[in-house]
PDB file of all heavy atoms in Angstrom:
ATOM      1  N   VAL B 539      15.498  -5.573  -1.256  1.00  0.00           N
ATOM      2  CA  VAL B 539      14.590  -4.547  -0.733  1.00  0.00           C
ATOM      3  C   VAL B 539      13.848  -3.862  -1.883  1.00  0.00           C
ATOM      4  O   VAL B 539      12.810  -3.235  -1.674  1.00  0.00           O
ATOM      5  CB  VAL B 539      15.375  -3.496   0.082  1.00  0.00           C
ATOM      6  CG1 VAL B 539      15.943  -4.122   1.325  1.00  0.00           C
ATOM      7  CG2 VAL B 539      16.479  -2.861  -0.762  1.00  0.00           C
ATOM      8  N   ALA B 540      14.392  -3.973  -3.110  1.00  0.00           N
ATOM      9  CA  ALA B 540      13.784  -3.300  -4.256  1.00  0.00           C
ATOM     10  C   ALA B 540      12.965  -4.252  -5.118  1.00  0.00           C
ATOM     11  O   ALA B 540      12.520  -3.859  -6.198  1.00  0.00           O
ATOM     12  CB  ALA B 540      14.876  -2.640  -5.111  1.00  0.00           C
ATOM     13  N   LEU B 541      12.762  -5.479  -4.660  1.00  0.00           N
ATOM     14  CA  LEU B 541      12.038  -6.457  -5.458  1.00  0.00           C
ATOM     15  C   LEU B 541      10.598  -6.023  -5.708  1.00  0.00           C
ATOM     16  O   LEU B 541      10.056  -6.215  -6.796  1.00  0.00           O
ATOM     17  CB  LEU B 541      12.064  -7.821  -4.767  1.00  0.00           C
ATOM     18  CG  LEU B 541      11.451  -8.982  -5.553  1.00  0.00           C
ATOM     19  CD1 LEU B 541      12.185  -9.172  -6.876  1.00  0.00           C
ATOM     20  CD2 LEU B 541      11.499 -10.265  -4.728  1.00  0.00           C
ATOM     21  N   LYS B 542       9.976  -5.421  -4.698  1.00  0.00           N
ATOM     22  CA  LYS B 542       8.605  -4.949  -4.862  1.00  0.00           C
ATOM     23  C   LYS B 542       8.526  -3.859  -5.920  1.00  0.00           C
ATOM     24  O   LYS B 542       7.572  -3.820  -6.703  1.00  0.00           O
ATOM     25  CB  LYS B 542       8.066  -4.413  -3.526  1.00  0.00           C
ATOM     26  CG  LYS B 542       6.630  -3.946  -3.599  1.00  0.00           C
ATOM     27  CD  LYS B 542       6.128  -3.456  -2.248  1.00  0.00           C
ATOM     28  CE  LYS B 542       4.690  -2.977  -2.353  1.00  0.00           C
ATOM     29  NZ  LYS B 542       4.186  -2.487  -1.038  1.00  0.00           N
ATOM     30  N   VAL B 543       9.525  -2.980  -5.968  1.00  0.00           N
ATOM     31  CA  VAL B 543       9.565  -1.937  -6.990  1.00  0.00           C
ATOM     32  C   VAL B 543       9.658  -2.562  -8.377  1.00  0.00           C
ATOM     33  O   VAL B 543       8.995  -2.130  -9.321  1.00  0.00           O
ATOM     34  CB  VAL B 543      10.751  -0.980  -6.749  1.00  0.00           C
ATOM     35  CG1 VAL B 543      10.768   0.127  -7.798  1.00  0.00           C
ATOM     36  CG2 VAL B 543      10.689  -0.392  -5.352  1.00  0.00           C
ATOM     37  N   LEU B 544      10.477  -3.604  -8.514  1.00  0.00           N
ATOM     38  CA  LEU B 544      10.622  -4.304  -9.790  1.00  0.00           C
ATOM     39  C   LEU B 544       9.307  -4.934 -10.231  1.00  0.00           C
ATOM     40  O   LEU B 544       8.892  -4.802 -11.388  1.00  0.00           O
ATOM     41  CB  LEU B 544      11.707  -5.380  -9.668  1.00  0.00           C
ATOM     42  CG  LEU B 544      11.872  -6.335 -10.858  1.00  0.00           C
ATOM     43  CD1 LEU B 544      12.256  -5.579 -12.119  1.00  0.00           C
ATOM     44  CD2 LEU B 544      12.912  -7.403 -10.532  1.00  0.00           C
ATOM     45  N   VAL B 545       8.637  -5.610  -9.304  1.00  0.00           N
ATOM     46  CA  VAL B 545       7.363  -6.261  -9.626  1.00  0.00           C
ATOM     47  C   VAL B 545       6.314  -5.237 -10.042  1.00  0.00           C
ATOM     48  O   VAL B 545       5.584  -5.429 -11.026  1.00  0.00           O
ATOM     49  CB  VAL B 545       6.872  -7.093  -8.423  1.00  0.00           C
ATOM     50  CG1 VAL B 545       5.468  -7.631  -8.682  1.00  0.00           C
ATOM     51  CG2 VAL B 545       7.832  -8.242  -8.140  1.00  0.00           C
ATOM     52  N   MET B 546       6.216  -4.130  -9.312  1.00  0.00           N
ATOM     53  CA  MET B 546       5.241  -3.098  -9.642  1.00  0.00           C
ATOM     54  C   MET B 546       5.547  -2.441 -10.986  1.00  0.00           C
ATOM     55  O   MET B 546       4.634  -2.089 -11.738  1.00  0.00           O
ATOM     56  CB  MET B 546       5.213  -2.038  -8.534  1.00  0.00           C
ATOM     57  CG  MET B 546       4.702  -2.553  -7.195  1.00  0.00           C
ATOM     58  SD  MET B 546       3.033  -3.247  -7.288  1.00  0.00           S
ATOM     59  CE  MET B 546       2.091  -1.786  -7.736  1.00  0.00           C
ATOM     60  N   GLN B 547       6.838  -2.314 -11.309  1.00  0.00           N
ATOM     61  CA  GLN B 547       7.202  -1.726 -12.589  1.00  0.00           C
ATOM     62  C   GLN B 547       6.818  -2.650 -13.744  1.00  0.00           C
ATOM     63  O   GLN B 547       6.314  -2.187 -14.780  1.00  0.00           O
ATOM     64  CB  GLN B 547       8.711  -1.455 -12.634  1.00  0.00           C
ATOM     65  CG  GLN B 547       9.160  -0.661 -13.854  1.00  0.00           C
ATOM     66  CD  GLN B 547       8.563   0.728 -13.880  1.00  0.00           C
ATOM     67  OE1 GLN B 547       8.713   1.512 -12.957  1.00  0.00           O
ATOM     68  NE2 GLN B 547       7.853   1.035 -14.960  1.00  0.00           N
ATOM     69  N   ILE B 548       7.037  -3.942 -13.581  1.00  0.00           N
ATOM     70  CA  ILE B 548       6.631  -4.902 -14.606  1.00  0.00           C
ATOM     71  C   ILE B 548       5.113  -4.899 -14.759  1.00  0.00           C
ATOM     72  O   ILE B 548       4.578  -4.970 -15.875  1.00  0.00           O
ATOM     73  CB  ILE B 548       7.149  -6.312 -14.261  1.00  0.00           C
ATOM     74  CG1 ILE B 548       8.674  -6.352 -14.336  1.00  0.00           C
ATOM     75  CG2 ILE B 548       6.543  -7.356 -15.184  1.00  0.00           C
ATOM     76  CD1 ILE B 548       9.283  -7.668 -13.917  1.00  0.00           C
ATOM     77  N   LEU B 549       4.401  -4.817 -13.641  1.00  0.00           N
ATOM     78  CA  LEU B 549       2.933  -4.785 -13.680  1.00  0.00           C
ATOM     79  C   LEU B 549       2.446  -3.574 -14.460  1.00  0.00           C
ATOM     80  O   LEU B 549       1.569  -3.694 -15.329  1.00  0.00           O
ATOM     81  CB  LEU B 549       2.378  -4.755 -12.255  1.00  0.00           C
ATOM     82  CG  LEU B 549       0.859  -4.621 -12.126  1.00  0.00           C
ATOM     83  CD1 LEU B 549       0.159  -5.823 -12.721  1.00  0.00           C
ATOM     84  CD2 LEU B 549       0.449  -4.430 -10.671  1.00  0.00           C
ATOM     85  N   PHE B 550       3.014  -2.405 -14.169  1.00  0.00           N
ATOM     86  CA  PHE B 550       2.562  -1.178 -14.839  1.00  0.00           C
ATOM     87  C   PHE B 550       2.999  -1.132 -16.303  1.00  0.00           C
ATOM     88  O   PHE B 550       2.205  -0.828 -17.190  1.00  0.00           O
ATOM     89  CB  PHE B 550       3.107   0.049 -14.102  1.00  0.00           C
ATOM     90  CG  PHE B 550       2.788   1.348 -14.778  1.00  0.00           C
ATOM     91  CD1 PHE B 550       1.502   1.879 -14.733  1.00  0.00           C
ATOM     92  CD2 PHE B 550       3.764   2.040 -15.483  1.00  0.00           C
ATOM     93  CE1 PHE B 550       1.201   3.070 -15.369  1.00  0.00           C
ATOM     94  CE2 PHE B 550       3.474   3.241 -16.125  1.00  0.00           C
ATOM     95  CZ  PHE B 550       2.194   3.754 -16.065  1.00  0.00           C
ATOM     96  N   THR B 551       4.269  -1.445 -16.554  1.00  0.00           N
ATOM     97  CA  THR B 551       4.800  -1.316 -17.907  1.00  0.00           C
ATOM     98  C   THR B 551       4.347  -2.443 -18.820  1.00  0.00           C
ATOM     99  O   THR B 551       4.007  -2.200 -19.986  1.00  0.00           O
ATOM    100  CB  THR B 551       6.341  -1.284 -17.873  1.00  0.00           C
ATOM    101  OG1 THR B 551       6.768  -0.210 -17.041  1.00  0.00           O
ATOM    102  CG2 THR B 551       6.912  -1.090 -19.266  1.00  0.00           C
ATOM    103  N   GLY B 552       4.343  -3.660 -18.309  1.00  0.00           N
ATOM    104  CA  GLY B 552       4.026  -4.803 -19.152  1.00  0.00           C
ATOM    105  C   GLY B 552       2.575  -5.222 -19.132  1.00  0.00           C
ATOM    106  O   GLY B 552       1.890  -5.192 -20.158  1.00  0.00           O
ATOM    107  N   VAL B 553       2.074  -5.597 -17.958  1.00  0.00           N
ATOM    108  CA  VAL B 553       0.735  -6.178 -17.865  1.00  0.00           C
ATOM    109  C   VAL B 553      -0.346  -5.175 -18.250  1.00  0.00           C
ATOM    110  O   VAL B 553      -1.260  -5.483 -19.029  1.00  0.00           O
ATOM    111  CB  VAL B 553       0.485  -6.717 -16.438  1.00  0.00           C
ATOM    112  CG1 VAL B 553      -0.939  -7.267 -16.317  1.00  0.00           C
ATOM    113  CG2 VAL B 553       1.505  -7.790 -16.096  1.00  0.00           C
ATOM    114  N   GLU B 554      -0.243  -3.955 -17.753  1.00  0.00           N
ATOM    115  CA  GLU B 554      -1.283  -2.968 -18.013  1.00  0.00           C
ATOM    116  C   GLU B 554      -1.244  -2.429 -19.444  1.00  0.00           C
ATOM    117  O   GLU B 554      -2.163  -1.719 -19.856  1.00  0.00           O
ATOM    118  CB  GLU B 554      -1.170  -1.823 -17.011  1.00  0.00           C
ATOM    119  CG  GLU B 554      -1.460  -2.241 -15.580  1.00  0.00           C
ATOM    120  CD  GLU B 554      -1.438  -1.080 -14.608  1.00  0.00           C
ATOM    121  OE1 GLU B 554      -1.329   0.072 -15.066  1.00  0.00           O
ATOM    122  OE2 GLU B 554      -1.524  -1.327 -13.392  1.00  0.00           O
ATOM    123  N   ALA B 555      -0.207  -2.751 -20.200  1.00  0.00           N
ATOM    124  CA  ALA B 555      -0.120  -2.306 -21.596  1.00  0.00           C
ATOM    125  C   ALA B 555      -0.556  -3.395 -22.576  1.00  0.00           C
ATOM    126  O   ALA B 555      -0.474  -3.193 -23.789  1.00  0.00           O
ATOM    127  CB  ALA B 555       1.303  -1.866 -21.914  1.00  0.00           C
ATOM    128  N   LEU B 556      -1.012  -4.538 -22.067  1.00  0.00           N
ATOM    129  CA  LEU B 556      -1.388  -5.638 -22.952  1.00  0.00           C
ATOM    130  C   LEU B 556      -2.577  -5.297 -23.844  1.00  0.00           C
ATOM    131  O   LEU B 556      -2.626  -5.699 -25.013  1.00  0.00           O
ATOM    132  CB  LEU B 556      -1.712  -6.888 -22.119  1.00  0.00           C
ATOM    133  CG  LEU B 556      -0.529  -7.563 -21.426  1.00  0.00           C
ATOM    134  CD1 LEU B 556      -1.010  -8.754 -20.606  1.00  0.00           C
ATOM    135  CD2 LEU B 556       0.515  -8.001 -22.437  1.00  0.00           C
ATOM    136  N   SER B 557      -3.531  -4.555 -23.302  1.00  0.00           N
ATOM    137  CA  SER B 557      -4.738  -4.256 -24.080  1.00  0.00           C
ATOM    138  C   SER B 557      -4.428  -3.412 -25.311  1.00  0.00           C
ATOM    139  O   SER B 557      -4.849  -3.737 -26.428  1.00  0.00           O
ATOM    140  CB  SER B 557      -5.772  -3.551 -23.200  1.00  0.00           C
ATOM    141  OG  SER B 557      -5.215  -2.357 -22.645  1.00  0.00           O
ATOM    142  N   ILE B 558      -3.679  -2.336 -25.132  1.00  0.00           N
ATOM    143  CA  ILE B 558      -3.351  -1.485 -26.271  1.00  0.00           C
ATOM    144  C   ILE B 558      -2.420  -2.204 -27.243  1.00  0.00           C
ATOM    145  O   ILE B 558      -2.519  -2.026 -28.464  1.00  0.00           O
ATOM    146  CB  ILE B 558      -2.725  -0.149 -25.794  1.00  0.00           C
ATOM    147  CG1 ILE B 558      -2.532   0.802 -26.980  1.00  0.00           C
ATOM    148  CG2 ILE B 558      -1.408  -0.385 -25.079  1.00  0.00           C
ATOM    149  CD1 ILE B 558      -2.095   2.188 -26.564  1.00  0.00           C
ATOM    150  N   SER B 559      -1.541  -3.066 -26.738  1.00  0.00           N
ATOM    151  CA  SER B 559      -0.672  -3.845 -27.621  1.00  0.00           C
ATOM    152  C   SER B 559      -1.488  -4.822 -28.459  1.00  0.00           C
ATOM    153  O   SER B 559      -1.189  -5.037 -29.640  1.00  0.00           O
ATOM    154  CB  SER B 559       0.373  -4.608 -26.793  1.00  0.00           C
ATOM    155  OG  SER B 559       1.242  -3.728 -26.127  1.00  0.00           O
ATOM    156  N   THR B 560      -2.515  -5.413 -27.854  1.00  0.00           N
ATOM    157  CA  THR B 560      -3.369  -6.348 -28.590  1.00  0.00           C
ATOM    158  C   THR B 560      -4.073  -5.656 -29.750  1.00  0.00           C
ATOM    159  O   THR B 560      -4.083  -6.162 -30.883  1.00  0.00           O
ATOM    160  CB  THR B 560      -4.416  -6.959 -27.641  1.00  0.00           C
ATOM    161  OG1 THR B 560      -3.754  -7.608 -26.553  1.00  0.00           O
ATOM    162  CG2 THR B 560      -5.295  -7.951 -28.374  1.00  0.00           C
ATOM    163  N   VAL B 561      -4.656  -4.507 -29.481  1.00  0.00           N
ATOM    164  CA  VAL B 561      -5.378  -3.766 -30.525  1.00  0.00           C
ATOM    165  C   VAL B 561      -4.446  -3.370 -31.662  1.00  0.00           C
ATOM    166  O   VAL B 561      -4.762  -3.562 -32.847  1.00  0.00           O
ATOM    167  CB  VAL B 561      -6.061  -2.519 -29.919  1.00  0.00           C
ATOM    168  CG1 VAL B 561      -6.683  -1.671 -31.023  1.00  0.00           C
ATOM    169  CG2 VAL B 561      -7.114  -2.922 -28.891  1.00  0.00           C
ATOM    170  N   LEU B 562      -3.279  -2.828 -31.312  1.00  0.00           N
ATOM    171  CA  LEU B 562      -2.324  -2.409 -32.341  1.00  0.00           C
ATOM    172  C   LEU B 562      -1.810  -3.593 -33.148  1.00  0.00           C
ATOM    173  O   LEU B 562      -1.708  -3.520 -34.381  1.00  0.00           O
ATOM    174  CB  LEU B 562      -1.154  -1.666 -31.692  1.00  0.00           C
ATOM    175  CG  LEU B 562      -1.419  -0.239 -31.213  1.00  0.00           C
ATOM    176  CD1 LEU B 562      -0.170   0.315 -30.526  1.00  0.00           C
ATOM    177  CD2 LEU B 562      -1.810   0.659 -32.363  1.00  0.00           C
ATOM    178  N   ALA B 563      -1.474  -4.675 -32.475  1.00  0.00           N
ATOM    179  CA  ALA B 563      -0.912  -5.838 -33.160  1.00  0.00           C
ATOM    180  C   ALA B 563      -1.920  -6.446 -34.138  1.00  0.00           C
ATOM    181  O   ALA B 563      -1.593  -6.710 -35.302  1.00  0.00           O
ATOM    182  CB  ALA B 563      -0.467  -6.880 -32.141  1.00  0.00           C
ATOM    183  N   ILE B 564      -3.147  -6.667 -33.673  1.00  0.00           N
ATOM    184  CA  ILE B 564      -4.163  -7.257 -34.542  1.00  0.00           C
ATOM    185  C   ILE B 564      -4.499  -6.316 -35.692  1.00  0.00           C
ATOM    186  O   ILE B 564      -4.619  -6.736 -36.847  1.00  0.00           O
ATOM    187  CB  ILE B 564      -5.424  -7.601 -33.729  1.00  0.00           C
ATOM    188  CG1 ILE B 564      -5.114  -8.723 -32.735  1.00  0.00           C
ATOM    189  CG2 ILE B 564      -6.566  -8.010 -34.646  1.00  0.00           C
ATOM    190  CD1 ILE B 564      -6.281  -9.086 -31.843  1.00  0.00           C
ATOM    191  N   GLY B 565      -4.629  -5.030 -35.389  1.00  0.00           N
ATOM    192  CA  GLY B 565      -4.977  -4.065 -36.435  1.00  0.00           C
ATOM    193  C   GLY B 565      -3.906  -3.953 -37.501  1.00  0.00           C
ATOM    194  O   GLY B 565      -4.199  -4.020 -38.711  1.00  0.00           O
ATOM    195  N   ILE B 566      -2.652  -3.806 -37.097  1.00  0.00           N
ATOM    196  CA  ILE B 566      -1.566  -3.656 -38.070  1.00  0.00           C
ATOM    197  C   ILE B 566      -1.349  -4.947 -38.843  1.00  0.00           C
ATOM    198  O   ILE B 566      -1.160  -4.936 -40.066  1.00  0.00           O
ATOM    199  CB  ILE B 566      -0.274  -3.216 -37.355  1.00  0.00           C
ATOM    200  CG1 ILE B 566      -0.436  -1.790 -36.835  1.00  0.00           C
ATOM    201  CG2 ILE B 566       0.929  -3.306 -38.282  1.00  0.00           C
ATOM    202  CD1 ILE B 566       0.705  -1.298 -35.992  1.00  0.00           C
ATOM    203  N   GLY B 567      -1.372  -6.086 -38.139  1.00  0.00           N
ATOM    204  CA  GLY B 567      -1.228  -7.366 -38.837  1.00  0.00           C
ATOM    205  C   GLY B 567      -2.339  -7.590 -39.844  1.00  0.00           C
ATOM    206  O   GLY B 567      -2.089  -8.074 -40.966  1.00  0.00           O
ATOM    207  N   ALA B 568      -3.558  -7.238 -39.481  1.00  0.00           N
ATOM    208  CA  ALA B 568      -4.685  -7.407 -40.402  1.00  0.00           C
ATOM    209  C   ALA B 568      -4.547  -6.505 -41.626  1.00  0.00           C
ATOM    210  O   ALA B 568      -4.826  -6.926 -42.756  1.00  0.00           O
ATOM    211  CB  ALA B 568      -5.994  -7.110 -39.670  1.00  0.00           C
ATOM    212  N   ILE B 569      -4.107  -5.274 -41.420  1.00  0.00           N
ATOM    213  CA  ILE B 569      -3.929  -4.349 -42.542  1.00  0.00           C
ATOM    214  C   ILE B 569      -2.896  -4.878 -43.525  1.00  0.00           C
ATOM    215  O   ILE B 569      -3.096  -4.869 -44.750  1.00  0.00           O
ATOM    216  CB  ILE B 569      -3.523  -2.958 -42.025  1.00  0.00           C
ATOM    217  CG1 ILE B 569      -4.687  -2.300 -41.288  1.00  0.00           C
ATOM    218  CG2 ILE B 569      -3.062  -2.057 -43.182  1.00  0.00           C
ATOM    219  CD1 ILE B 569      -4.319  -1.027 -40.560  1.00  0.00           C
ATOM    220  N   ILE B 570      -1.758  -5.361 -42.983  1.00  0.00           N
ATOM    221  CA  ILE B 570      -0.715  -5.907 -43.862  1.00  0.00           C
ATOM    222  C   ILE B 570      -1.228  -7.134 -44.609  1.00  0.00           C
ATOM    223  O   ILE B 570      -0.982  -7.293 -45.820  1.00  0.00           O
ATOM    224  CB  ILE B 570       0.534  -6.268 -43.028  1.00  0.00           C
ATOM    225  CG1 ILE B 570       1.116  -5.008 -42.373  1.00  0.00           C
ATOM    226  CG2 ILE B 570       1.583  -6.937 -43.911  1.00  0.00           C
ATOM    227  CD1 ILE B 570       2.233  -5.301 -41.383  1.00  0.00           C
ATOM    228  N   ASN B 571      -1.965  -7.993 -43.910  1.00  0.00           N
ATOM    229  CA  ASN B 571      -2.521  -9.191 -44.557  1.00  0.00           C
ATOM    230  C   ASN B 571      -3.502  -8.841 -45.665  1.00  0.00           C
ATOM    231  O   ASN B 571      -3.455  -9.420 -46.757  1.00  0.00           O
ATOM    232  CB  ASN B 571      -3.217 -10.072 -43.513  1.00  0.00           C
ATOM    233  CG  ASN B 571      -2.234 -10.953 -42.757  1.00  0.00           C
ATOM    234  OD1 ASN B 571      -1.244 -11.400 -43.315  1.00  0.00           O
ATOM    235  ND2 ASN B 571      -2.508 -11.189 -41.488  1.00  0.00           N
ATOM    236  N   ILE B 572      -4.394  -7.912 -45.375  1.00  0.00           N
ATOM    237  CA  ILE B 572      -5.419  -7.548 -46.354  1.00  0.00           C
ATOM    238  C   ILE B 572      -4.779  -6.916 -47.589  1.00  0.00           C
ATOM    239  O   ILE B 572      -5.144  -7.222 -48.738  1.00  0.00           O
ATOM    240  CB  ILE B 572      -6.447  -6.590 -45.710  1.00  0.00           C
ATOM    241  CG1 ILE B 572      -7.253  -7.337 -44.645  1.00  0.00           C
ATOM    242  CG2 ILE B 572      -7.379  -6.016 -46.776  1.00  0.00           C
ATOM    243  CD1 ILE B 572      -8.143  -6.454 -43.807  1.00  0.00           C
ATOM    244  N   ILE B 573      -3.821  -6.033 -47.383  1.00  0.00           N
ATOM    245  CA  ILE B 573      -3.125  -5.424 -48.524  1.00  0.00           C
ATOM    246  C   ILE B 573      -2.373  -6.489 -49.319  1.00  0.00           C
ATOM    247  O   ILE B 573      -2.386  -6.499 -50.558  1.00  0.00           O
ATOM    248  CB  ILE B 573      -2.146  -4.330 -48.043  1.00  0.00           C
ATOM    249  CG1 ILE B 573      -2.927  -3.161 -47.436  1.00  0.00           C
ATOM    250  CG2 ILE B 573      -1.268  -3.838 -49.191  1.00  0.00           C
ATOM    251  CD1 ILE B 573      -2.046  -2.084 -46.831  1.00  0.00           C
ATOM    252  N   GLY B 574      -1.716  -7.413 -48.620  1.00  0.00           N
ATOM    253  CA  GLY B 574      -0.973  -8.469 -49.308  1.00  0.00           C
ATOM    254  C   GLY B 574      -1.871  -9.376 -50.113  1.00  0.00           C
ATOM    255  O   GLY B 574      -1.565  -9.714 -51.266  1.00  0.00           O
ATOM    256  N   VAL B 575      -2.997  -9.779 -49.530  1.00  0.00           N
ATOM    257  CA  VAL B 575      -3.942 -10.649 -50.230  1.00  0.00           C
ATOM    258  C   VAL B 575      -4.550  -9.949 -51.434  1.00  0.00           C
ATOM    259  O   VAL B 575      -4.820 -10.570 -52.472  1.00  0.00           O
ATOM    260  CB  VAL B 575      -5.043 -11.117 -49.252  1.00  0.00           C
ATOM    261  CG1 VAL B 575      -6.177 -11.789 -49.998  1.00  0.00           C
ATOM    262  CG2 VAL B 575      -4.460 -12.073 -48.230  1.00  0.00           C
ATOM    263  N   SER B 576      -4.738  -8.649 -51.340  1.00  0.00           N
ATOM    264  CA  SER B 576      -5.381  -7.895 -52.416  1.00  0.00           C
ATOM    265  C   SER B 576      -4.429  -7.534 -53.548  1.00  0.00           C
ATOM    266  O   SER B 576      -4.830  -7.519 -54.718  1.00  0.00           O
ATOM    267  CB  SER B 576      -6.010  -6.611 -51.848  1.00  0.00           C
ATOM    268  OG  SER B 576      -6.912  -6.905 -50.808  1.00  0.00           O
TER     269      SER B 576
END
């Protein structure tokens, strides 16, 4: 009976946070790479 609650929680917590995770991951990884290369 709680399966819908589980699915909605994954949608909100995981799927809807992909955009901000992408920006942070690429930005931080790029900063570390640039500092390392330099």
Side-chain angles (χ1 to χ4, degrees):
V539 293
L541 185 60
K542 182 179 179 180
V543 181
L544 172 61
V545 173
M546 294 302 296
Q547 188 63 57
I548 293 176
L549 176 64
F550 175 74
T551 303
V553 177
E554 294 184 7
L556 290 178
S557 57
I558 187 172
S559 296
T560 303
V561 174
L562 285 177
I564 293 177
I566 291 174
I569 291 171
I570 297 172
N571 278 326
I572 292 171
I573 294 175
V575 169
S576 304

